[in-house]
Amino acid sequence: MTICASLADGMPVSVSKLPLAPAAESRFPASFRGWRLSLQIMRFALAQMADEISYRFQTIGRRTPPFHKDAARGHILPVHIPAELVEPFAQRARREGVTLNSALNAALLLSVNRHLYAGEKLPMRTFSFADLRPHVEPPLHAENLGVYISMLRYTVDVGGSFEFWSLARNLHNKIYASLKSGEKFAASALSKSLLTMLTKLDSVRLCASALNLHGTLPVRTNYGKIKVLAIHGFVSPHAFGPEMASQAQLFNDQLFWDFAYLEEDMNQDTAKAIVGEVEEIMKSAVK
């Protein structure tokens, strides 16, 4: 945007080469390197296997995310949540002792449960993403080009009649305990082999929903003559991934939330109903 603004103003543009970030594992804390990392990976993998076994036993004969053998067609549904709702919702989340990420994840899970699972009480899954850049040693500089991000799966009991903030606190506690124990590093180290395995198996649907909350972005509203009105970040749904995936970004005190879904999982009307329900949950949660 700075370069575009300079060109629009007829100013000279200087471009510098940015350094690539080193491999993420080389910058993990000491307790998550070498043989220690191998032990953490083994512990994390066993916990994930136990969660998978428990989930499968609890959902025998019940609806789970359907598997799509062939290529699936995806759609994107962008939603704008105004500052008038975002601010009181964030304030209420702070009073309840949960992060905005946990609260938004809970709203999405609850809505998916009501519309795709008829509000039945059952274990459901969501993805949450952890930014590793602030936690590596030494911390990365902003100009280093490299993605240090970890994807973690959480299983919680959900039902259409569940009290929203109780669900949000349950999910928050799971995410907090997971991140505090350092599972984000083990999950990051396993990500390539896990995705390779899932792609080859071609037989697994991981969860019901996924949310990546970027938080506040270092983007200004004005760059000379150029005004930034909205921020969008689209995600790609996969046949072995969640039924409803989304990416939310805070910009100018507003929430720009982009949902992605497969037409094999739901039609446009159902997707709009899920998204509309999420916003209604947010409105009800601040009363």
Side-chain angles (χ1 to χ4, degrees), residues 239-255:
F240 56 80
E243 290 167 289
M244 180 65 85
S246 65
Q247 185 158 301
Q249 304 185 83
L250 287 169
F251 176 68
N252 199 22
D253 298 326
Q254 304 165 74
L255 192 66

Side-chain angles (χ1 to χ4, degrees), residues 2-24:
T2 302
I3 292 174
C4 291
S6 298
L7 291 173
D9 293 334
M11 302 294 290
V13 177
S14 60
V15 179
S16 58
K17 186 176 180 180
L18 298 177
L20 293 176

